[in-house]
Amino acid sequence: MKKYLFLALALTYFGVQGQNTKSAFKTGEWLKFRMHYGFLNASYATLQVNSTTLNDKSVYHVVGHGETTGVASWFFKVDDTYESYFDKQDGKPYKFVRKINEGGYKKDVEINFDHNASNAELNDKKNKKKLNFTLENNIQDLISAFYYLRNNYKTEDLEVGKAITLKMLYDDDGIFNFKLKYLGLEVLNTKYGKVECLKFRPLVQSGRVFKEQESLSLWVSNDDNRIPIRIKADLAVGAIKADIDGYNGLKHQFKIIMD
């Protein structure tokens, strides 16, 4: 099953508009999300920004991890890890790792991006096969997309009802377009207080995981950080919600509306 993949998917949908020289994040940023499935606190997910060296090049290394906790883990065990290594200047991905175990559904995938050769090699370690893909402009993986788009859209250029697309590669399904529809501004109540958010409606594939094409909604802070505040999805079975539950190392002030 892939129901918990929706959080990682949702973190990639933020609209793209030209290079922005003002970075929205820095090394050391850490985000934590609490996920609810029905009445259960189903799991936690975190995103951590690190710096490292890959092939003699200084890059960002982001690690995303999610797992079920408490009673929820008795019914459906999840232990997912995503990693992305991407360029500090233009956000191009160099390496992507996806290791997931979702109720027995397992993936162990590594993708290496060679932008000079316009090629990406996908190594499916579980099934012992390798695939090659021809790269297209502005290609991103599942995690690098989130950070790339935080630095590359202008809020003032977003139009209510208009959809934006992004090319992505993270699995053997190949390169495809994610579509995101902007729905406007909305104020949410959070554990930290009221936060003004940009609301989006990603267009996802209906079927085994999502109930309908527009089953997923997310809210992003309308400040210079552009972090996810809430994510909701109607699944084929039940519904799930994720809320920001912790943060550290933000580059900019987290704006809270004071009553």
Side-chain angles (χ1 to χ4, degrees):
M1 296 180 69
K2 299 182 181 179
K3 65 174 66 175
Y4 282 81
L5 179 58
F6 95 90
L7 177 61
L9 289 173
L11 294 178
T12 68
Y13 294 106
F14 291 96
V16 57
Q17 297 287 342
Q19 185 69 23
N20 184 350
T21 58
K22 186 176 182 180
S23 178
F25 62 92
K26 64 180 180 179
T27 299
E29 180 187 85
W30 174 84
L31 304 173
K32 180 181 180 182
F33 303 89
R34 175 180 289 183
M35 300 175 64
H36 306 266
Y37 183 64
F39 63 91
L40 299 174
N41 285 334
S43 67
Y44 288 93
T46 58
L47 284 168
Q48 172 76 49
V49 181
N50 307 301
S51 288
T52 190
T53 300
L54 182 68
N55 297 326
D56 298 322
K57 188 174 183 62
S58 179
V59 298
Y60 285 119
H61 175 209
V62 173
V63 179
H65 181 72
E67 61 181 297
T68 46
T69 59
V71 176
S73 63
W74 300 350
F75 301 99
F76 190 76
K77 182 68 175 178
V78 172
D79 187 359
D80 293 353
T81 298
Y82 297 81
E83 298 181 64
S84 180
Y85 302 76
F86 56 91
D87 196 277
K88 287 188 173 182
Q89 301 302 317
D90 58 20
K92 290 189 299 187
Y94 295 119
K95 182 178 179 180
F96 173 70
V97 176
R98 180 184 176 206
K99 294 182 179 181
I100 66 172
N101 185 349
E102 300 173 350
Y105 177 84
K106 296 181 179 181
K107 283 274 189 177
D108 188 356
V109 171
E110 178 179 307
I111 303 175
N112 288 283
F113 297 83
D114 186 340
H115 297 279
N116 291 328
S118 297
N119 180 73
E121 182 185 75
L122 184 150
N123 184 2
D124 183 343
K125 298 181 181 180
K126 177 178 178 290
N127 296 309
K128 298 181 180 180
K129 66 178 182 179
K130 293 184 178 181
L131 300 172
N132 285 278
F133 300 94
T134 300
L135 294 183
E136 303 180 31
N137 291 334
N138 293 326
I139 191 73
Q140 295 292 322
D141 65 47
L142 194 60
I143 299 299
S144 69
F146 168 47
Y147 295 90
Y148 173 78
L149 295 177
R150 286 172 67 188
N151 280 344
N152 285 272
Y153 79 80
K154 298 178 181 178
T155 304
E156 59 268 25
D157 289 340
L158 296 173
E159 296 184 41
V160 174
K162 293 293 183 67
I164 306 162
T165 61
L166 171 69
K167 296 185 183 301
M168 192 176 300
L169 173 65
Y170 74 93
D171 206 344
D172 55 11
D173 292 331
I175 297 171
F176 61 100
N177 291 328
F178 273 138
K179 292 186 177 182
L180 173 75
K181 183 163 62 176
Y182 175 57
L183 300 182
L185 295 174
E186 188 172 324
V187 175
L188 295 185
N189 290 312
T190 75
K191 63 179 291 185
Y192 303 104
K194 294 181 179 179
V195 179
E196 184 178 72
C197 298
L198 306 165
K199 185 178 181 180
F200 296 94
R201 179 66 48 78
L203 304 180
V204 295
Q205 184 177 0
S206 60
R208 188 165 63 90
V209 178
F210 297 102
K211 184 180 296 185
E212 298 176 355
Q213 190 182 38
E214 297 194 12
S215 293
L216 183 63
S217 300
L218 69 148
W219 293 258
V220 181
S221 64
N222 187 23
D223 58 19
D224 291 334
N225 295 299
R226 299 169 187 143
I227 59 173
I229 301 300
R230 178 171 296 164
I231 303 160
K232 293 178 67 176
D234 294 322
L235 307 178
V237 179
I240 197 164
K241 181 176 77 167
D243 286 307
I244 189 75
D245 192 64
Y247 64 89
N248 199 3
L250 297 183
K251 185 171 183 179
H252 308 283
Q253 181 181 1
F254 184 28
K255 292 185 178 180
I256 306 296
I257 298 174
M258 305 301 293
D259 292 328

